[in-house]
Amino acid sequence: MIRFQKDQTHLLRQGETLKFGRIKFLVKELRTSLLPDPLTQRHVEVDSANNTCKICLSEQSDEENPLISPCNCSGTMKFIHVDCLKMCVTSQLTVKTTEKCVSYTWKSINCSLCGVPFPNSVTANNRTHAILLVNQPEPPYFILESLASHGSSRGMHSISLKNTESVLLGRGHDSDIRISDISVSRLHARIKYHGDNFYLEDYNSKFGTLVQVENTELKDSEQVSLQCGRSLLEFKLKNK
């Protein structure tokens, strides 16, 4: 992972993994305009034999609320209505709203019978249905998904930059996105929006801000810090 210190800026890209202290986040979505929802989808089997929903026990099914099979359950437990699935997922979420951020936390969003994780959205009969109803404010905004470790809760944060140029991440009360972990500084990092791009900056944190990358390019006189486990390696390209 590349380590960023104070005054260093990184251009954020969708799909990157960020690390603040020992807490990791996936850049789930970066949106600067009103585009189709890119959240993870799953194509699912749709009932065609008048089966019943395992939640409401109804056989009724239509385009708005089809009977689908989103997990590995079989037999009479195989199908569930889209609306019933949304209800099951929503019941497992804890939602907290601030001026700039809506945060969702959960222990797991899995089928209680077979244990398979439910998707963020499903595609049935060429129609997409959002299952995890994450707030999508007017752009520009971004969504971070916390990556759980050691049994901790997972979460997703939807952050609007419509009326501000930046948001702060950290453990303290002054942070727009609060990360409750002792390894995270009170004001750890900042994400700002400029020129249709999102940029990540370290805020002089104790342990630095890290970004997981596949490859990087060294420029003349530029120093890059790579962290591998507990080892910090510094590279610098010098002119001949």
Side-chain angles (χ1 to χ4, degrees), residues 18-210:
L18 314 179
K19 190 176 182 183
F20 310 107
R22 58 188 176 189
I23 306 301
K24 290 184 178 181
F25 288 90
L26 173 68
V27 181
K28 192 76 174 180
E29 182 179 346
L30 298 173
R31 188 174 294 194
T32 61
S33 60
L34 294 172
L35 299 172
D37 182 12
L39 292 178
T40 303
Q41 299 180 11
R42 182 186 299 169
H43 292 271
V44 295
E45 179 184 348
V46 181
D47 171 50
S48 59
N50 296 321
N51 287 288
T52 60
C53 173
K54 60 184 174 184
I55 299 298
C56 68
L57 304 181
S58 171
E59 296 180 358
Q60 293 183 354
S61 178
D62 53 45
E63 290 187 0
E64 295 289 336
N65 188 29
L67 272 172
I68 62 172
S69 177
C71 57
N72 290 342
C73 288
S74 59
T76 58
M77 297 289 103
K78 183 173 183 177
F79 291 98
I80 183 173
H81 282 116
V82 164
D83 286 347
C84 292
L85 178 57
K86 290 179 183 178
M87 179 185 67
C88 292
V89 169
T90 301
S91 68
Q92 299 181 60
L93 299 178
T94 299
V95 183
K96 182 178 181 181
T97 302
T98 63
E99 181 181 356
K100 300 177 182 178
C101 177
V102 180
S103 298
Y104 307 81
T105 56
W106 62 87
K107 278 290 185 183
S108 65
I109 304 182
N110 302 342
C111 175
S112 59
L113 299 177
C114 68
V116 170
F118 290 130
N120 293 329
S121 61
V122 298
T123 301
N125 293 331
N126 297 318
R127 183 169 183 171
T128 299
H129 303 268
I131 302 302
L132 181 57
L133 301 177
V134 176
N135 177 57
Q136 295 180 308
E138 186 176 342
Y141 70 87
F142 62 94
I143 295 178
L144 298 180
E145 181 179 353
S146 60
L147 303 178
S149 60
H150 307 299
S152 60
S153 297
R154 296 190 62 181
M156 199 173 289
H157 307 275
S158 175
I159 303 100
S160 172
L161 289 171
K162 182 178 183 296
N163 298 315
T164 184
E165 64 176 13
S166 65
V167 292
L168 294 173
L169 300 89
R171 181 167 46 90
H173 292 281
D174 293 332
S175 299
D176 300 301
I177 307 171
R178 292 194 63 191
I179 308 171
S180 300
D181 191 275
I182 193 63
S183 67
V184 178
S185 297
R186 287 183 173 86
L187 292 176
H188 196 105
R190 178 172 71 165
I191 294 178
K192 64 180 183 180
Y193 179 72
H194 178 72
D196 288 336
N197 287 308
F198 295 88
Y199 296 92
L200 173 67
E201 294 180 345
D202 185 73
Y203 217 73
N204 199 26
S205 63
K206 182 176 181 181
F207 296 109
T209 298
L210 287 79

